[in-house]
Structure formats: C-alpha cells, structure tokens
Amino acid sequence: MQVTIAENYQALSKQAAEIVAAQIINKPTSVLGLATGVTPLGMYEELVSLHKAGLVSFKEVTTFNLDEFVGISPLHPGSYHQYMRHRLFDHVDINIPQAHLPNGAAPNLKQECREYEAKIRKAGGIDLQVLGIGRNGHIGFNEPHGKFEAFTNVVTLDSASREANARFFSTPHEVPRQAITMGIRTIMQARTILLLASGFEKAQVLAKALEGPVTPAVPASVLQLHSNVVVLADEAAAQIISKINTGQAAIDFG
Ligand code: F6R
C-alpha cells in the first residue's frame, strides 16, 4: 500500500486526476471504476481541465461506477447517473454507451447485479478503481459487517450513509433505503485501487482502515490485503495515520 499525503484538498484532487490521466495515457482502452460523493468532485474537475487542455481523451475508455440508489430513475437529479453526467461525462469525449452505472430502477434487481458483474468481466476487468471512504468505513455501499466475498449486490443503506446522501434529496424521507453496489470482491479484483480521503471527519476511519485489523466491521480495511493500492489523503484526513507512523500516537482499535 502506498500512502501519499497531499497538502490540501486541491492538491489531492490534482494528484488523483493525474493518476487517472496517466492510466488512460498508458492504456487508452482502460476500464475505470468510478466513485461519486463529495471527495472526487475536485478530481473530476481536474480531469475535465486536462481533457479540455487536450492532454487526455476518454474516447476509448470504459467506465463502471461503484453504485446507484435503488428505486429512483437514472433521470432523478439525486441519482448517481446524473451526478456522473454533470461532473464528468457531459464535459469529456467519453462514448456514453461505454459509461456504465447500475440501474437502480431495473425491474429485476438481482438480474441487474448479475449483468453488471458480467459486463465488468466482459470489458476485461477494472484497471483502476477510484474509491472514497464512508465515515462508517464503507467502500462503495458495502456497509459494515457485510461479506467480503460479495459481488455486485443490493444492499440496505445504514443511517450514516442515508444521512450523508440526504443533500441530494429534498427531504430526508426521500433518501432511498437501498442501493446496488459493486461488492467487496468486485472491488478487490480491480488491478489498481486509488483510495481518496479528505477532511478531518475521515481521519479516524482512515486510520482504522489502514492501521487497524482487517475486519468486515471496517469494510475498507480489506484493502490492506490488495497488492496494489494507492491511498491519497489530504493532511486533515491523514492526521491520525501520520501520528501513528511517526510514533506520536498509539491507537486502540478495540
Ligand atoms: C460513492 C461511494 C461511497 C463514497 C463514500 C464517501 O460512489 O461509493 O463509498 O465514496 O461514501 O463519500 P464522500 O466522498 O461524499 O465523503
């Protein structure tokens, strides 16, 4: 695991975008796994700038997003489909049929999950998976105490995840209770993983994920078992890991 600490959110976003751009330049037909949420917003902005500057083309890239809410249309303004359109897809030269998100409005959700997994496999697997981390340690919507061996599946969101996503909906009541998410196993099969963490509210969980025991109680801790993970954290998110690494703190993860 390679941990890089960026000075602030802007530097983190720039470095993250450069890693993604380098992946695409090295392999124009790359398969990218993408995340939504607040953390990668700056990275998408930087990627759009790199594209507009003529430095990177998404023409041959295939993308698979980690997750989508169940029970809302891809056209709903709170959907991750719309997030991706507005933040990235509408501003770059990606071939839209190659930009995939699970369909949370599919009539048969189990079949949707199986087909999503099959599409990832057919595309040759994910070269670079971008992840954020939830305050409860989730990656994708793999909430604490789920199974590490899960492929893409339907999950029930815990209250922390529903609260974190309430900003996308007009009332808290409207926040979906379920989502389709790539499973931990889907994520672990990516060839390279880029985990982004920003802000002090992620410091505790990032320390648990990187330095604590590998446990389904902290889903992101499974990344310790992956052979090719790059962690990019800003100074605020890295506060606790820096202290552990310099011997200034011993954390009781019990
Ligand atoms: C998003 C996703 C989530 C987020 C995580 C962090 O597609 O799967 O795991 O990455 O909840 O969200 P932010 O970045 O909003 O703190």
Side-chain angles (χ1 to χ4, degrees), residues 35-40 66-67 80 132-134 138-141 167 202:
T36 59
V38 175
T39 314
L66 281 165
D67 38 24
Y80 288 165
I133 181 169
H138 75 200
I139 46 175
F141 270 135
R167 64 184 180 277
K202 298 292 172 66

Side-chain angles (χ1 to χ4, degrees), residues 219-234:
S221 65
V222 75
L223 300 175
Q224 293 179 34
L225 306 179
H226 192 284
S227 58
N228 196 9
V229 178
V230 176
V231 180
L232 249 179
D234 60 16

Side-chain angles (χ1 to χ4, degrees), residues 111-179:
Q111 189 182 334
E112 174 65 16
C113 293
R114 275 196 302 274
E115 286 176 6
Y116 199 66
E117 199 68 42
K119 276 185 221 162
I120 295 173
R121 211 147 294 159
K122 196 164 168 229
I126 293 169
D127 291 306
L128 175 65
Q129 175 68 56
V130 179
L131 295 178
I133 181 169
R135 264 185 278 181
N136 61 3
H138 75 200
I139 46 175
F141 270 135
N142 294 283
E143 306 289 34
H145 307 293
K147 288 197 169 77
F148 279 167
E149 61 268 36
F151 283 122
T152 299
N153 67 118
V154 178
V155 289
T156 299
L157 302 178
D158 76 12
S159 49
S161 297
R162 291 189 69 231
E163 264 168 44
N165 281 282
R167 64 184 180 277
F168 296 119
F169 298 87
S170 3
T171 64
H173 184 71
E174 267 182 57
V175 184
R177 292 175 187 279
Q178 288 187 306

Side-chain angles (χ1 to χ4, degrees), residues 19-38:
I19 291 171
V20 174
Q23 169 68 42
I24 300 172
I25 289 163
N26 287 339
K27 183 182 175 190
T29 58
S30 285
V31 179
L32 303 180
L34 298 178
T36 59
V38 175

Side-chain angles (χ1 to χ4, degrees), residues 1-173:
M1 196 174 271
Q2 178 201 317
V3 182
T4 300
I5 300 173
E7 201 183 333
N8 51 33
Y9 178 69
Q10 205 184 343
L12 172 143
S13 301
K14 197 162 179 289
Q15 287 182 45
E18 284 166 3
I19 291 171
V20 174
Q23 169 68 42
I24 300 172
I25 289 163
N26 287 339
K27 183 182 175 190
T29 58
S30 285
V31 179
L32 303 180
L34 298 178
T36 59
V38 175
T39 314
L41 287 172
M43 177 191 80
Y44 290 133
E45 244 175 62
E46 292 286 340
L47 277 171
V48 170
S49 301
L50 290 173
H51 170 69
K52 294 208 160 132
L55 296 173
V56 65
S57 166
F58 289 76
K59 239 182 211 145
E60 295 178 86
V61 168
T62 299
T63 63
F64 288 94
N65 265 79
L66 281 165
D67 38 24
E68 178 58 287
F69 295 114
V70 162
I72 60 169
S73 139
L75 298 175
H76 187 290
S79 72
Y80 288 165
H81 278 76
Q82 291 303 309
Y83 171 112
M84 289 308 301
R85 282 258 173 189
H86 293 134
R87 304 297 177 175
L88 184 68
F89 300 156
D90 283 351
H91 310 289
V92 296
D93 57 349
I94 195 161
N95 184 10
I96 283 294
Q98 281 170 213
H100 306 276
L101 287 98
N103 179 6
N108 183 335
L109 294 172
K110 277 198 171 160
Q111 189 182 334
E112 174 65 16
C113 293
R114 275 196 302 274
E115 286 176 6
Y116 199 66
E117 199 68 42
K119 276 185 221 162
I120 295 173
R121 211 147 294 159
K122 196 164 168 229
I126 293 169
D127 291 306
L128 175 65
Q129 175 68 56
V130 179
L131 295 178
I133 181 169
R135 264 185 278 181
N136 61 3
H138 75 200
I139 46 175
F141 270 135
N142 294 283
E143 306 289 34
H145 307 293
K147 288 197 169 77
F148 279 167
E149 61 268 36
F151 283 122
T152 299
N153 67 118
V154 178
V155 289
T156 299
L157 302 178
D158 76 12
S159 49
S161 297
R162 291 189 69 231
E163 264 168 44
N165 281 282
R167 64 184 180 277
F168 296 119
F169 298 87
S170 3
T171 64
H173 184 71

